Amino acid sequence: AQSVTQPDIHITVSEGASLELRCNYSYGATPYLFWYVQSPGQGLQLLLKYFSGDTLVQGIKGFEAEFKRSQSSFNLRKPSVHWSDAAEYFCAVVTGNQFYFGTGTSLTVIP
Amino acid sequence: SQTIHQWPATLVQPVGSPLSLECTVEGTSNPNLYWYRQAAGRGLQLLFYSVGIGQISSEVPQNLSASRPQDRQFILSSKKLLLSDSGFYLCAWSVGRGLFFGSGTQLSVL
């Protein structure tokens, strides 16, 4: 069965520091992978997606993610975090018509 | 461009009352439509998805139902709300690869 694991429930970083949010998936074939961001009381916004090709994908707001098949991972990164990046982040894998989400990582940014 | 509308944004309902949340998509045809629920501090739970008019798949047995009376309209309903139905409800659509969300409805059942 397909599943997505986000090991970190909550992460705190200082503004200007680098960020890496972890995502591991379980899926038999080549996955389609996504990262979403959710601000409080809002819907989810697509940050980036991976379907095939270059394993390093660029997204909006300065985020990037790297697909590593050997590690079944799709970690999200940002070189320098801004206070406005504080939000909930979700990793997702899609198979057929169904999207499977991780439980999310809550990011706090301190000045 | 495609847009998705979901309403109301917030709703407070007494236990035992009915529910109807509506979602419409513009700018696309024959989208797959989804209803998710997000409990406080938790991830997304897929409730229903639809690949076409009148075609509804339920992921979790519960007090809710869904209907798709038109190609771009998806409705989430309940005849009698329970306290446990409280949460943040999200409608989403996809055509091909990618899932796009509405702004959500915060439902409080008191």
Side-chain angles (χ1 to χ4, degrees):
Chain A
Q2 297 78 20
S3 67
V4 178
T5 302
Q6 293 181 246
D8 304 307
I9 296 174
H10 187 220
I11 284 182
T12 300
V13 298
S14 298
E15 190 169 16
S18 63
L19 171 71
E20 182 169 28
L21 303 182
R22 295 184 291 167
C23 172
N24 295 98
Y25 65 90
S26 173
Y27 184 57
T30 300
Y32 299 145
L33 295 159
F34 303 80
W35 274 101
Y36 287 86
V37 60
Q38 183 183 31
S39 297
Q42 301 296 317
L44 277 72
Q45 182 183 21
L46 180 65
L47 282 176
L48 48 78
K49 57 190 175 186
Y50 170 79
F51 295 152
S52 64
D54 192 349
T55 56
L56 183 64
V57 293
Q58 302 297 320
I60 62 171
K61 305 185 179 186
F63 285 93
E64 66 178 26
E66 186 171 12
F67 170 62
K68 293 185 178 180
R69 184 187 300 277
S70 61
Q71 298 178 21
S72 297
S73 69
F74 188 56
N75 294 348
L76 182 71
R77 301 195 295 246
K78 187 168 183 177
S80 177
V81 172
H82 189 263
W83 63 267
S84 60
D85 293 325
E88 189 88 14
Y89 291 82
F90 293 92
C91 181
V93 62
V94 61
T95 169
N97 294 318
Q98 298 204 31
F99 290 73
Y100 296 90
F101 285 85
T103 51
T105 298
S106 177
L107 175 65
T108 297
V109 180
I110 56 177
Chain B
S1 62
Q2 301 89 357
T3 56
I4 179 169
H5 302 280
Q6 184 180 344
W7 68 92
T10 59
L11 189 61
V12 180
Q13 292 284 98
V15 170
S17 65
L19 173 73
S20 180
L21 301 181
E22 189 163 344
C23 172
T24 59
V25 181
E26 296 178 355
T28 187
S29 297
N30 196 32
N32 293 337
L33 296 172
Y34 305 78
W35 279 111
Y36 286 87
R37 178 170 60 198
Q38 188 176 27
R42 301 181 63 180
L44 284 81
Q45 178 187 33
L46 178 63
L47 302 177
F48 302 95
Y49 71 95
S50 171
V51 299
I53 295 174
Q55 302 177 61
I56 309 295
S57 296
S58 175
E59 289 297 300
V60 181
Q62 56 204 327
N63 186 40
L64 302 169
S65 62
S67 62
R68 184 170 178 173
Q70 301 180 41
D71 180 44
R72 291 170 289 176
Q73 184 184 29
F74 206 24
I75 298 172
L76 182 69
S77 303
S78 173
K79 292 183 179 178
K80 290 185 178 182
L81 283 168
L82 306 172
L83 287 174
S84 58
D85 292 323
S86 293
F88 192 56
Y89 289 81
L90 289 157
C91 181
W93 70 273
S94 75
V95 174
R97 307 166 184 174
L99 187 65
F100 303 93
F101 288 85
S103 54
T105 296
Q106 183 64 54
L107 172 64
S108 299
V109 182
L110 305 177

